[in-house]
Each structure stands twice: as C-alpha cells, then as structure tokens.
C-alpha cells in the first residue's frame, strides 16, 4: 500500500505543478492555503480554474469527474443553462432587497408542493444557519434548553451541533458530548444530548431520560459529511418520531443534503415520516447560497411571525439578515426546482447512484477487496470493511488507511471527491462518465492491490 500511495503522490505532483505553486503562496495568506477546510487535500490542495456540467478543470488544465459537485448543491452539474439563464436575467433587475420580493412566496409554494409539511418557512443562506434557526424555533416554542443530536451526524459549522461527529467516546449506548475541534464552549456541550445513531433502544431510553429538558432532536435520515451515505433504519426513524411526539419534543429533519435529492420531497417522502421542522439548503439554491427552515404552521406562526403590536404577547425569535431577500439565490432555486421536476431527471440521477454502488461492489469482488458501498439515490459512500457500516464507530473500525490511499489515487487519476467517503452523482453525468469513474476506481484499486 505504501508503494501505491507514493505512486499516487508522485503522479499528483507531476500533474499539478501550478496548484503546488499557488499553494506555496496561498498558505501564507489563507490557513492551509484554502478558503475553507473542505478544500484542503494533502499533500496540497487542487486549485480550480473552471467547472462545467459534470467536470471541473484545475489550473494545470487537467479535467476531473467531479464526484463532490460543490458538496451537493450542483445536482444538475455545474452551471446548468436553465439556471444560469434565469440568474443572468435576474441580476439586471436587482440582486437583493430588504423589501420582500414576491419570488420568496413563489419558491415557498414550490417547496411546499413537494414538502407539504413545510407549511411556513423562512429563507436563510446556508445549511448551518437553517439548522441553527430550527433549533432556536424549537427552544422558543417548547421553552426547553437542550437539543438531541446523533453521534456522527453533521449539521454544519455552528457551535451548538459541532459535537460528537468524528470525535466520539463513551459507551456506545450512552455517547459522550464531545467538542468537534477547538473553540466549542462547554456550555454548548452541556446543552447537547448525544444519541447513538441507528440504535433504537438506546436512543429511546436516552430521550425518555432527558424528555423534560429536550426542545428538539435533529437527525440526518441519510448521513452526509461524516456518516457518508449511511442510511438510518426505517424502524429507528419511526421510533424516533414516536418517542419525540409522545414527549412534545420537536423532530427536526436536517434535509440539507437529502432535500430534493433522494426524492423531490426528500427523506420525509422516502420514509413517510413527517418531521415538525425541516432544514434545507444546497439544492434549493440552484448553485447559489440559500437555505430554508420551517415546518408546522402552529410552531412557526407562534414564534417566528413578528409581533403585530403591543397587545401581541407572544415570545418571538429574532430572525433576520441583510441578504434575507437574495433575489439571485431565490431565482436560481426556483429555476433549479423547475428542472428537477421534469420527468425522469431524479430517476436518472438515482440510477447513476445505483450504478456506482453496484459497480464498486463488483470491483471489490473482482479484486478480492472488502468494498462496501452504501447510500441512497445519488448519495454514495465507499468503505473498506467486512460489513456495511451503520455508525461513525463502524467507520472508525473500517480500513481508513486503505480509504485514504484510494481517495488520493482517485484525485491523482482525475476524480475529484472528498478525502473520506462521501460522493454524489449528478444529472449532467451520462453512462460514459459513470463508466469512466468506475474504470478509474478499478485501476486505482488494482494499483493498491499490487503494493
Ligand atoms: C446535513 C448537513 N447539514 C448542514 C450542513 C451545513 O450546510 P452549510 O455548509 O451550507 O452551512 C451540511 C453541509 O454539508 C450538511 O451536510
């Protein structure tokens, strides 16, 4: 394996001298040489010149099959013409206002058409903000302070939920609340009840123990960033719905990745489970920054609708922002959803996901490697383990060194993907890109098998 890793590093360096040069300068101005951690890759990041459809090109002119696709938003591939045309027209008529544009209502209705449980919603700019605001709504509505989150679930970059992701500990049935990185206050840890993903009995027991303090429980029905592609059991989600409803705890679906991706109605449609609140982002911005949070009318109206006058004694939350009426993102989101609604688009995308998962398992069987491909629809995760992982602890027990070498090999051979497990297919891909992706995976793994 060491030999394969050295070969991949050497190949990467040979193909990317301009990226190496830029990194030399960039790391003096940008920590790690990158605008955000997700772009960091050892031995140095790849700097991108342009992206179009299913591909991106680096500053040395190399073309990559983009299996990360911006972290999820570019579900139709980069810069889809229908979305770009709508945006080009919009920017001539304003980019943002505080005065509310009718476009917000049009998009809200379009979202609600597919997610009827989004009875009322507000738009924000990121998934982190959407989840954060959902929690604030839940705390305001219930008057309770704590929020339950699952070990290994990722909900964005804000303090409250930056807990027990890849950092975990304690007994499996009673996970500890641990900070994900430095700078997370202790007070936040104390307000977060960490629950064991995909473990129904222990989850129900913990929720019952903390029931009177819990405002909400938030969950990813398909793990993304940290639980790359691990799907929550249907029975586990049903039990979660039941126990939260029984105790007046709000259930928040974090559909930042799954919304409009696993189905137009997201995980709520796939599972048939209705959450109280939902956080959306990525796809709904059509490639531009946009998030949304919302759900039950009684909750949203009670704590988000502004007070109507001195006689209105509701306790409402603060929810506002300079770019709250971002016409560019709203317009792009509308155009994107209209494209996704066209017959066959999501089916094709999901078929591609099936082809990648099946193809990867076949490659594993051919090469005698324990490859387990997980995921749902266009979300896929590839692991080196005897059994498909179900939790972050299983991921930690899988062969991480082999995975790291594999992902480095992909980068060196023209596939852009996370350095861990998560990947996406997109609607701009055809069978030839899927075949090319699988061929590259095969040759990278064959090289690893040689030493
Ligand atoms: C499930 C989930 N929730 C929240 C977020 C945070 O979204 P953003 O990066 O837009 O803040 C992400 C980002 O990857 C995510 O995958």
């Amino acid at each position: 394996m060491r030999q394969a890793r050295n070969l991949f590093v050497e190949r990467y360096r040979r193909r990317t001298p301009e990226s190496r040069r830029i990194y030399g300068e960039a790391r003096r101005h940008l920590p790690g040489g990158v605008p955000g951690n997700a772009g960091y890759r050892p031995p140095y990041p790849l700097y991108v010149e342009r992206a179009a459809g299913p591909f991106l090109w680096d500053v040395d002119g190399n073309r990559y099959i983009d299996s990360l696709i911006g972290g999820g938003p570019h579900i139709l591939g980069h810069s889809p013409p229908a979305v770009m045309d709508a945006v080009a027209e919009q920017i001539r008529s304003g980019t943002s206002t505080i005065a509310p544009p009718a476009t917000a209502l049009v998009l809200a209705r379009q979202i609600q058409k597919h997610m009827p449980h989004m009875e009322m919603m507000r738009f924000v700019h990121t998934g982190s903000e959407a989840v954060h605001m959902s929690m604030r709504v839940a705390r305001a509505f219930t008057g309770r302070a704590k929020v339950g989150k699952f070990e290994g679930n990722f909900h964005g970059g804000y303090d409250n939920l930056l807990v027990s992701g890849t950092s975990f500990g304690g007994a499996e049935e009673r996970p500890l609340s641990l900070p994900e990185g430095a700078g997370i206050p202790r007070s936040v840890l104390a307000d977060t009840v960490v629950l064991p993903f995909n473990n129904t009995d222990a989850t129900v027991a913990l929720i019952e123990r903390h029931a009177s303090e819990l405002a909400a429980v938030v969950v990813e029905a398909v793990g993304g960033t940290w639980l790359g592609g691990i799907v929550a059991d249907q029975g586990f989600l049903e039990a979660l719905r039941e126990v939260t409803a029984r105790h007046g705890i709000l259930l928040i679906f974090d559909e930042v990745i799954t919304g409009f991706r696993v189905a137009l109605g997201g995980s709520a449609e796939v599972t048939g489970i209705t959450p109280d609140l939902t956080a959306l982002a990525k796809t709904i911005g059509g490639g531009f920054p946009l998030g949304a949070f919302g759900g039950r009318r009684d909750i949203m109206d009670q704590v988000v609708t502004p007070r109507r006058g001195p006689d209105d004694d509701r306790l409402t939350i603060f929810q506002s922002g300079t770019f709250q009426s971002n016409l560019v993102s709203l317009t792009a989101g509308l155009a994107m959803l209209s494209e996704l609604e066209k017959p066959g688009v999501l089916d094709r995308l999901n078929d591609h996901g099936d082809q990648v998962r099946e193809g990867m398992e076949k490659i594993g069987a051919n090469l005698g490697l324990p490859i387990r491909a997980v995921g749902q629809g266009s979300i896929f995760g590839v692991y080196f383990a005897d059994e498909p992982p179900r939790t972050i602890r299983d991921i930690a027990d899988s062969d991480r060194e082999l995975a790291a070498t594999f992902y480095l090999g992909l980068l060196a051979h023209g596939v852009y993907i996370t350095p861990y497990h998560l990947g996406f297919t997109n609607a701009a891909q055809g069978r030839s890109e899927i075949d090319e992706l699988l061929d590259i995976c095969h040759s990278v793994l064959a090289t690893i098998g040689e030493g």
Side-chain angles (χ1 to χ4, degrees):
M1 177 130 65
R2 179 171 298 166
Q3 198 185 324
R5 182 193 298 269
N6 291 344
L7 273 177
F8 297 153
V9 170
E10 198 185 303
R11 185 181 165 94
Y12 183 68
R13 287 182 188 279
R14 216 174 39 243
R15 279 164 54 97
T16 59
E18 185 59 8
S19 278
R20 191 161 74 227
R21 188 195 67 73
I22 293 175
Y23 176 60
E25 279 186 40
R27 67 184 167 178
R28 281 190 263 130
H29 304 283
L30 306 166
V34 286
N37 287 2
Y40 185 74
R41 300 280 182 285
Y44 52 85
L46 191 75
Y47 291 88
V48 168
E49 189 168 87
R50 70 191 175 94
F55 303 118
L56 50 84
W57 286 263
D58 70 13
V59 287
D60 287 285
N62 300 301
R63 191 203 73 169
Y64 295 79
I65 291 180
D66 190 359
S67 288
L68 183 51
I69 210 81
H74 310 299
I75 191 165
L76 300 177
H78 290 282
S79 302
V83 179
M84 295 306 110
D85 290 350
V87 166
E89 202 177 316
Q90 176 57 53
I91 54 180
R92 284 191 288 270
S93 317
T95 54
S96 77
T97 55
I98 291 288
T103 321
L105 170 63
V106 182
L107 183 56
R109 282 202 173 131
Q110 188 130 341
I111 290 172
Q112 203 197 348
K113 185 169 82 184
H114 300 293
M115 300 181 175
H117 51 285
M118 290 289 276
E119 292 171 341
M120 291 185 103
M121 71 193 82
R122 277 281 176 88
F123 292 107
V124 288
H125 277 91
T126 62
S128 303
E129 223 181 328
V131 182
H132 188 72
M133 292 314 303
S134 306
M135 287 198 314
R136 182 176 298 162
V137 167
R139 286 177 163 139
F141 185 74
T142 60
R144 302 173 185 168
K146 295 194 178 181
V147 169
K149 74 121 4 211
F150 287 93
E151 193 175 70
N153 270 189
F154 178 70
H155 302 293
Y158 293 172
D159 291 357
N160 275 259
L161 295 173
L162 216 38
V163 172
S164 300
T166 58
S167 312
F168 56 83
E172 206 170 326
E173 299 75 28
R174 285 194 65 178
L176 293 173
S177 184
L178 296 173
E180 195 67 32
I184 307 294
R186 277 177 178 280
S187 55
V188 164
L189 301 178
D191 273 342
T192 308
V193 176
V194 179
L195 304 164
F197 191 75
N198 264 338
N199 183 332
T200 306
D201 292 348
T203 290
V204 170
L206 277 171
I207 291 177
E208 286 188 326
R209 182 170 320 146
H210 293 276
S212 62
E213 312 164 287
L214 278 171
V217 173
V218 56
V219 67
E220 286 182 280
V222 182
T225 303
W226 288 328
L227 285 184
I230 297 182
V231 181
D233 294 340
Q234 177 71 17
F236 164 75
L237 290 175
E238 282 169 5
L240 184 59
R241 177 63 286 187
E242 193 280 324
V243 69
T244 48
R246 187 153 40 84
H247 290 287
I249 300 163
L250 303 188
L251 178 61
I252 305 173
F253 269 13
D254 180 345
E255 298 235 35
V256 166
I257 285 186
T258 52
F260 296 98
R261 178 177 279 281
V262 293
L264 284 170
S267 294
E269 180 183 327
V270 171
T271 61
I273 294 171
T274 306
D276 300 298
L277 296 172
T278 298
L280 298 168
K282 299 201 191 261
T283 301
I284 60 156
F288 291 80
L290 191 69
F293 68 94
R296 271 170 47 191
R297 182 181 309 283
D298 61 322
I299 299 173
M300 293 293 285
D301 204 24
Q302 172 70 25
V303 298
V304 187
T305 298
R307 293 176 64 207
R308 295 169 186 107
D311 295 340
D312 185 346
D313 56 5
R314 287 171 304 123
L315 284 174
T316 58
I317 64 163
F318 175 87
Q319 197 278 308
S320 192
T322 303
F323 288 103
Q324 61 195 356
S325 298
N326 181 334
L327 289 158
V328 178
S329 297
L330 293 169
T331 302
L334 258 180
M336 172 70 91
L337 295 193
S338 302
E339 288 302 298
L340 283 176
E341 285 172 353
K342 290 186 175 161
V345 175
L346 268 192
D347 291 342
R348 194 167 73 244
L349 198 70
N350 292 342
D351 285 351
H352 289 161
D354 290 341
Q355 286 158 13
V356 170
R357 282 184 291 274
E358 282 160 23
M360 287 305 304
E361 296 234 341
K362 247 187 226 155
I363 292 170
N366 285 344
L367 296 175
L369 285 169
I371 293 182
R372 302 289 159 248
V374 300
Q376 187 175 80
S378 54
I379 304 166
F380 65 87
V382 177
Y383 296 89
F384 298 91
D386 292 330
E387 296 296 330
R390 292 170 43 76
T391 66
I392 194 84
R393 295 180 189 228
D394 292 346
I395 294 178
D397 287 342
S398 69
D399 192 334
R400 308 301 300 278
E401 203 189 327
L402 178 49
T405 306
F406 173 56
Y407 289 106
L408 174 65
L410 291 186
L411 191 61
H413 287 80
V415 175
Y416 195 77
I417 195 158
T418 58
Y420 27 96
H421 305 275
L422 180 68
F424 299 104
T425 58
N426 65 83
Q429 288 177 322
R431 183 70 223 198
S432 65
E433 280 84 38
I434 301 293
D435 288 344
E436 188 181 339
L437 171 68
L438 291 171
D439 285 349
I440 294 173
C441 288
H442 186 277
S443 79
V444 165
L445 287 165
T447 306
I448 292 174
E450 283 158 18

